[in-house]
C-alpha cells in the first residue's frame, strides 16, 4: 500500500503550485493526509508583510503531532519550491510520469521526501511513540519566518523532539550514498569605500576609492582561515561581486563596492568572522555590513546517524557516507534543540528544469524512513 501512497502523495503535493513563500493549497493537501492518521495539525502564518525585502513575505507553517508518550521522533522539511523557470518539457506543476520517473517542481526538493515520510506513517503503529512533522513554506527564500517560527511554536507547547530527520535531497549518485551530519556556516558581507568624485586630469582634486578597495580585497584574498577538520572541509572566503558603476572614462568615481561570501566550518563563528573583517575593512578606509545566514553545526555520529545507516543498508545494500558538504539548510536551526541528520533523495535535478525523482526511489525511501522512525522510537 505504501508503494502507491508515496507516489500518489508526491503527485498531489507537486500539483499544488507553491513557489516560495508558500501558503494555502499545498498545506491543505498535507493536512488532509495527516488528520486521518490521528495527527493534530497546527497551521499558522508568520511574517510582517511590510515592504522590506530583507524581512521576507508572510509564510505558512505547519506543525503536526501524534502523541502516544515514549520517545519523540520528528521529520522536518519544506513545501515551498524555487521558481520553475522557462523551458520545461511539460507544466512543472502538473506531475508527469515518464518511464520510471516522476517529473515536477519539488519532486526531489523536497515534496517527494515529505510524501515518502507521510506514506511511511501508515506502517508505524500509533502507539510506537510520538511523531511530529515540522513543515515550513519558507526554506527556499529568506528562511526568516519558517523553521525558526516553528521552533518557537514547539517550545511554547513544551514539545521538543528527541531526534529530528530533515528530508533534504542528500544522495548524490544513488539513493542512500550520503547523509548530512552537519553543515558549514554562511555569512555574506558588503564592503563600501567612499571617495571624492573628480576629473581624471586633476587627480589631486579627487580621492579615488578603487585602489583602497583593491588593497582591502588583496589583503582578504591572502587569508587562509583554516585547514579543515575531521568532518569539515576548510573554510573559504570568496569575492562574489565588484562594482563601481562608472560609465564615464574621464571621471574618478565617488564610491567602490564589493561583496564577500564566507562558508566556514566549526573552527570559526559568524560573529568572529564579521568582527575580523570589520576591523580589516575599516583599517583600509572602508565600511562593512554583514548578514550571518547560519552557524556551522555538527551532529557527531551517534544514535540517529546509526539508525539511518542501518536502514539504508537494509534497503539499498550500501552505507551512506556521513558528510558536511553543500550549502545551508534549515537543519542549522533545528540543531539548536535536538540531534539532527539530513537524509533524502538524489539531488541531481533539484532546482533544475524537468526536476524528476525515480519512482523506485520513492518506494525505497518510504521503507527507509519507516525503519528509522521505528528504530528511534524503540531505542
Amino acid at each position: 500500500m505504501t508503494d502507491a501512497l508515496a507516489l500518489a502523495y508526491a503527485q498531489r503535493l507537486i500539483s499544488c503550485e507553491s513557489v516560495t513563500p508558500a501558503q494555502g493549497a499545498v498545506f491543505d493537501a498535507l493536512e488532509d493526509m495527516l488528520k486521518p492518521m490521528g495527527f493534530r495539525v497546527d497551521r499558522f502564518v508568520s511574517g510582517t508583510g511590510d515592504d522590506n525585502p530583507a524581512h521576507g513575505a508572510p509564510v505558512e507553517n505547519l506543525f503536526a503531532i501524534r502523541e502516544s508518550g515514549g520517545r519523540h521522533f520528528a521529520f522536518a522539511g519544506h513545501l515551498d519550491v524555487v521558481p520553475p523557470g522557462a523551458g520545461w518539457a511539460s507544466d512543472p506543476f502538473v506531475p508527469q510520469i515518464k518511464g520510471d520517473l516522476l517529473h515536477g517542481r519539488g519532486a526531489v526538493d523536497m515534496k517527494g521526501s515529505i510524501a515518502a515520510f507521510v506514506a511511511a506513517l501508515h506502517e508505524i503503529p500509533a502507539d510506537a511513540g510520538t511523531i511530529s512533522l515540522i513543515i515550513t513554506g519558507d526554506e527556499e527564500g529568506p528562511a526568516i519566518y519558517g523553521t525558526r517560527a516553528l521552533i518557537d511554536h514547539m517550545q511554547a507547547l513544551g514539545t521538543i523532539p528527541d531526534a529530528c530527520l530533515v528530508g533534504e535531497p542528500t544522495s548524490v549518485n544513488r539513493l542512500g550514498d550520503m547523509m548530512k551530519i552537519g553543515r558549514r556556516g554562511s555569512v555574506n558581507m558588503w564592503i563600501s569605500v567612499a571617495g571624492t568624485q573628480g576629473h581624471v586630469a586633476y587627480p589631486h582634486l579627487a580621492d579615488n576609492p578603487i585602489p583602497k578597495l583593491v588593497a582591502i580585497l588583496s589583503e582578504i584574498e591572502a587569508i587562509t582561515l583554516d585547514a579543515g577538520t575531521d568532518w569539515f572541509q576548510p573554510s573559504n572566503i570568496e569575492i562574489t561581486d565588484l562594482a563601481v558603476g562608472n560609465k564615464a572614462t574621464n571621471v574618478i568615481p565617488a564610491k567602490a563596492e564589493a561583496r564577500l561570501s564566507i562558508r566556514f566550518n566549526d573552527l570559526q563563528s559568524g560573529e568572529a568572522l564579521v568582527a575580523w573583517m570589520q576591523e580589516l575593512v575599516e583599517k583600509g578606509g572602508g565600511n562593512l555590513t554583514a548578514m550571518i545566514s547560519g552557524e556551522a553545526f555538527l551532529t557527531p555520529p551517534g544514535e540517529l546517524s546509526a539508525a539511518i545507516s542501518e536502514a539504508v543498508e537494509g534497503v539499498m545494500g550500501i552505507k551512506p557516507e556521513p558528510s558536511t558538504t553543500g550549502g545551508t539548510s534549515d537543519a542549522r536551526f533545528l540543531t539548536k534543540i535536538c540531534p539532527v541528520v539530513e537524509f533524502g533523495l538524489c539531488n541531481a535535478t533539484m532546482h533544475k528544469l524537468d526536476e524528476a525523482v525515480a519512482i523506485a526511489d520513492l518506494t525505497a525511501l518510504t521503507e527507509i524512513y519507516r525503519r528509522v522512525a521505528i528504530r528511534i522510537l524503540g531505542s
Side-chain angles (χ1 to χ4, degrees), residues 168-181 231 305 308-309 311-325 341-348 361 364-365 368:
E168 287 289 346
T170 60
S171 301
V172 182
N173 297 309
R174 59 174 296 196
L175 178 65
D177 61 5
M178 183 175 288
M179 61 179 165
K180 299 295 177 72
I181 61 170
W231 291 110
S305 54
I308 294 170
S309 184
V312 171
E313 186 173 19
V315 176
M316 302 300 297
I318 60 174
K319 287 189 176 182
E321 173 193 352
S323 172
T324 61
T325 59
V341 176
E342 301 171 63
F343 178 77
L345 295 161
C346 292
N347 56 30
D361 283 356
L365 186 62
I368 291 169

Side-chain angles (χ1 to χ4, degrees), residues 51-304:
D51 294 327
N52 187 337
H55 292 169
V59 298
E60 187 162 4
N61 297 301
L62 179 150
F63 177 69
I65 188 165
R66 186 173 71 187
E67 296 181 272
S68 64
R71 305 197 81 206
H72 179 177
F73 177 64
F75 176 89
H78 62 91
L79 285 169
D80 60 321
V81 298
V82 296
W88 282 65
S90 58
D91 189 324
F93 297 109
V94 177
Q96 298 282 332
I97 295 177
K98 301 176 184 179
D100 297 329
L101 301 176
L102 171 65
H103 289 260
R105 176 54 90 218
V108 296
D109 190 17
M110 57 172 288
K111 293 179 178 180
S113 293
I114 293 173
F117 186 79
V118 176
L121 292 171
H122 287 268
E123 302 297 328
I124 301 173
D127 61 357
T130 296
I131 296 178
S132 65
L133 290 90
I134 306 164
I135 308 295
T136 182
D138 177 35
E139 195 272 349
E140 299 290 7
I144 295 172
Y145 297 121
T147 297
R148 289 187 281 193
L150 279 158
I151 291 171
D152 290 342
H153 180 75
M154 293 163 62
Q155 290 176 328
L157 294 174
T159 303
I160 301 300
D162 294 296
C164 179
L165 189 156
V166 179
E168 287 289 346
T170 60
S171 301
V172 182
N173 297 309
R174 59 174 296 196
L175 178 65
D177 61 5
M178 183 175 288
M179 61 179 165
K180 299 295 177 72
I181 61 170
R183 296 273 188 162
R184 293 196 297 170
S186 174
V187 57
N188 289 299
M189 303 181 185
W190 291 263
I191 300 171
S192 176
V193 179
T196 302
Q197 183 175 304
H199 197 293
V200 297
Y202 302 94
H204 58 289
L205 300 178
D207 180 15
N208 194 334
I210 296 177
K212 297 178 185 177
L213 178 59
V214 169
I216 291 170
L217 295 178
S218 179
E219 187 172 350
I220 291 172
E221 184 67 15
I223 293 172
T224 298
L225 289 172
D226 56 66
T229 70
D230 289 344
W231 291 110
F232 284 96
Q233 67 195 84
S235 303
N236 62 298
I237 306 175
E238 302 299 331
I239 299 168
T240 58
D241 191 33
L242 186 62
V244 177
N246 183 12
K247 296 181 180 180
T249 60
N250 60 349
V251 174
I252 293 171
K255 185 169 67 174
E257 299 174 305
R259 185 180 64 227
L260 309 176
S261 181
I262 304 179
R263 296 298 171 100
F264 56 94
N265 58 41
D266 57 352
L267 294 175
Q268 314 291 338
S269 75
E271 185 177 347
L273 288 169
V274 171
W276 184 5
M277 292 298 111
Q278 185 109 34
E279 181 180 0
L280 185 155
V281 168
E282 290 181 355
K283 183 183 67 175
N287 293 297
L288 181 140
T289 58
M291 182 178 71
I292 302 170
S293 300
E295 297 289 343
F297 73 91
L298 177 70
T299 300
E303 177 192 36
L304 181 53

